[in-house]
């Protein structure tokens, strides 16, 4: 492990929207340094050079050249997901710890292979799963952990948005599961650490007004090993914002309503068993959170030898195993068992 006095030096790959949002937080951290940036688009490289004060020698159009010519510790891989596997593998083979945008890859077997390679190389593979650090998830997680709902046996999670332009998702297979569901599941596991997925039934469809090329609206039932049921809906072709979470436990129900998972505003209502709903101010006195700032603080601890976070590549395989089973269920029209990659120990 690197001496704590030395900065963590990064190669940043893909200078698009996600990188801009991450770097607003990361560049505030005194322990980091941007060593190089990579993008196939020269204009994006120039914008990065201007924004972060980088010399010409730190700008690359090819990851291989950047890996060869740069002394760095980590690679932030924020390119389209079909590139994640090959770029994360190249970084690992060059001795860097990759932080890969979600989804880790859009292929479960490739994600398992990356996790295994990281273990062999003794490097720290992570996935950019920051959403659970939003205040609206944190306060619900605390309410659940305090036992206010008792044993939670039914969960409703609905998040669909009116995104009526396919843009970067044109031609994308299973855009909802790979792009959205991976966030949703990670946040749900943050709220419900006891939920161990066992099987899933998944249906997908395209409304007549859809602009997507494959199922852009997903409805699923997930069964947990403890008998819990998650009723899940997500998609890109809603006619207006749809965002709700309802947790039904032995002691009562929590109902949360918002606009979208990335908007840190929610109303919370609680009904004790057999009673009516009343609003509760779960977030009172808590300022909105800055998810990337908290994420990077945790990532830094891990890079310096601290405890494995929820967003390690290995732990994130649980999310990807559910998505893999959902895709199989879409094809077969039946319930599909969900692998438990952490229990099976196929990852170190
Ligand atoms: N965690 C989050 O909240 C969040 C939010 C948005 C996007 N994402 C994820 O981040 C990833 C990137 O999304 P984005 O919105 O930043 O996309 P984007 O299109 O804005 O940026 C991607 C960048 O990658 C560059 N690029 C393409 N091919 C490349 C290559 N071979 N080598 C180097 N650079 C290359 C493009 O020129 C572009 O600048 C996706 O996996 C997406 O799912 C995560």
């Amino acid at each position: 492990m690197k001496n704590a006095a030395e900065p963590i030096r990064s190669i940043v790959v893909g200078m698009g929207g996600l990188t801009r949002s991450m770097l607003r937080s990361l560049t505030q951290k005194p322990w980091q340094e941007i060593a190089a940036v990579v993008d196939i688009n020269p204009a994006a490289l120039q914008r990065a050079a201007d924004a972060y004060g980088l010399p010409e020698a730190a700008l690359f159009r090819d990851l291989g050249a950047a890996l060869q010519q740069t002394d760095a510790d980590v690679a932030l891989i924020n390119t389209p997901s079909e590139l994640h596997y090959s770029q994360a593998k190249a970084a690992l083979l060059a001795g860097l710890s990759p932080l890969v945008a979600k989804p880790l890859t859009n292929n479960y077997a490739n994600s398992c292979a990356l996790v295994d390679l990281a273990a062999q190389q003794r490097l720290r593979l992570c996935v950019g799963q920051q959403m659970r650090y939003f205040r609206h998830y944190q306060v619900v997680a605390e309410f659940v952990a305090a036992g206010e709902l008792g044993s939670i046996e039914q969960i409703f999670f609905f998040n669909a948005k009116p995104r009526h332009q396919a843009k970067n998702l044109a031609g994308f297979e299973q855009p909802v599961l790979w792009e959205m569901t991976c966030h949703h599941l990670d946040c749900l596991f943050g709220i419900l650490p006891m939920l161990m997925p066992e099987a899933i039934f998944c249906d997908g469809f395209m409304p007549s007004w859809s602009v997507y090329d494959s199922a852009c609206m997903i409805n699923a039932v997930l069964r947990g090993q403890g008998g819990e049921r998650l009723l899940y809906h997500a998609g890109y072709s809603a006619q207006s914002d749809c965002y709700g979470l309802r947790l039904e436990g032995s002691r009562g129900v929590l109902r949360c309503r918002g606009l979208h998972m990335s908007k840190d505003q929610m109303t919370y209502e609680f009904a004790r068993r057999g009673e009516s709903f009343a609003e509760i101010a779960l977030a009172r006195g808590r300022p909105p959170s800055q998810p990337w700032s908290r994420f990077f603080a945790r990532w830094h601890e891990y890079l310096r030898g601290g405890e494995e976070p929820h967003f390690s590549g290995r732990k994130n395989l649980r999310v990807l195993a559910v998505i893999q089973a959902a895709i199989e269920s879409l094809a077969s029209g039946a319930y599909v068992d969900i692998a438990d990659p952490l229990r099976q120990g196929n990852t170190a």
Side-chain angles (χ1 to χ4, degrees):
M1 196 49 48
K2 212 173 175 189
N3 179 332
E6 293 176 80
I8 303 282
R9 287 170 55 80
S10 57
I11 297 179
V12 187
V13 192
M15 303 310 292
L18 176 64
T19 291
R20 282 194 294 280
S21 147
M22 278 182 160
L23 291 190
R24 271 195 290 278
S25 287
L26 185 60
T27 53
Q28 302 299 310
K29 306 288 185 196
W31 44 261
Q32 72 77 40
E33 229 171 69
I34 299 177
V37 296
V38 184
D39 203 296
I40 49 169
N41 175 355
L45 282 181
Q46 194 50 54
R47 275 195 302 275
D50 296 343
Y52 309 114
L54 300 170
E56 187 67 30
L59 313 181
F60 292 88
R61 291 178 69 174
D62 169 63
L63 174 59
L67 289 169
Q68 267 183 358
Q69 295 169 39
T70 312
D71 170 25
D73 308 293
V74 298
L76 271 60
I77 296 177
N78 294 338
T79 49
S81 56
E82 64 272 17
L83 300 173
H84 291 179
Y85 175 66
S86 60
Q87 293 183 331
K89 185 174 172 188
L92 284 166
L93 291 173
L96 275 66
S97 289
L99 166 55
V100 185
K102 65 77 198 165
L104 176 53
T105 71
N106 50 18
N107 173 298
Y108 180 60
N110 281 350
S111 291
C112 292
L114 284 181
V115 169
D116 288 343
L117 179 60
Q120 278 164 27
Q121 299 280 87
R122 299 186 175 281
L123 292 166
R124 305 209 153 180
L125 172 68
C126 290
V127 188
Q129 290 274 17
Q130 87 287 13
M131 293 272 187
R132 69 160 76 176
Y133 291 125
F134 269 119
R135 175 183 59 180
H136 58 269
Y137 290 120
Q138 299 278 308
V139 296
V140 172
E142 287 163 21
F143 192 73
V144 169
E148 302 287 353
L149 295 171
S151 140
I152 296 171
E153 294 173 26
Q154 170 76 62
I155 304 131
F156 301 77
F157 187 102
F158 298 157
N159 186 195
K161 61 181 179 181
R163 186 184 187 272
H164 297 309
Q165 289 181 319
K167 294 191 252 181
N168 59 323
L169 300 181
F172 202 97
E173 283 284 315
Q174 303 311 335
V176 178
L177 292 171
W178 290 118
E179 290 293 313
M180 264 189 160
T181 305
C182 64
H183 274 310
H184 294 155
L185 290 171
D186 184 64
C187 294
L188 274 170
F189 294 154
I191 292 171
L192 304 167
M194 71 300 270
L195 180 64
M196 294 295 151
E198 182 177 70
I200 190 163
F201 171 78
C202 184
D203 175 47
F205 82 116
M206 289 199 285
S208 60
W209 54 83
S210 169
V211 296
Y212 291 86
D213 297 310
S214 75
C216 61
M217 298 299 269
I218 292 291
N219 295 299
V221 182
L222 179 146
R223 197 172 69 227
Q225 287 173 13
E228 312 92 332
R229 296 291 192 279
L230 162 66
L231 198 58
Y232 176 71
H233 170 74
Y236 286 119
S237 291
Q239 294 291 31
S240 78
D241 290 309
C242 161
Y243 188 37
L245 169 66
R246 178 180 164 115
L247 301 174
E248 190 125 359
S250 53
R251 299 184 61 191
V253 183
L254 180 69
R255 184 164 72 178
C256 317
R257 283 186 280 197
L259 287 175
H260 183 62
M261 72 177 315
S262 61
K263 295 193 177 141
D264 207 352
Q265 56 186 61
M266 263 204 154
T267 55
Y268 310 93
E269 294 158 295
F270 179 48
R272 263 179 233 291
R273 185 182 170 134
E275 296 180 11
S276 306
F277 277 109
E279 195 162 326
I280 50 169
L282 284 191
R284 182 167 37 217
R286 292 270 285 264
S289 48
Q290 296 186 329
W292 280 124
S293 183
R294 292 194 55 186
F295 177 95
F296 283 124
R298 191 68 190 78
W299 181 58
H300 182 223
E301 278 171 33
Y302 184 46
L303 291 174
R304 298 286 191 196
E307 200 188 322
E308 183 179 359
H310 78 269
F311 52 78
S312 71
R314 191 184 76 92
K315 290 198 180 177
N316 195 243
L317 286 183
R318 182 164 276 155
V319 166
L320 300 178
V322 177
I323 293 176
Q324 171 67 23
I327 290 171
E328 289 171 23
S329 173
L330 273 165
S332 69
Y335 266 95
V336 170
D337 288 344
I338 299 168
D340 184 346
L342 303 190
R343 206 174 50 186
Q344 285 167 355
N346 67 342
T347 54

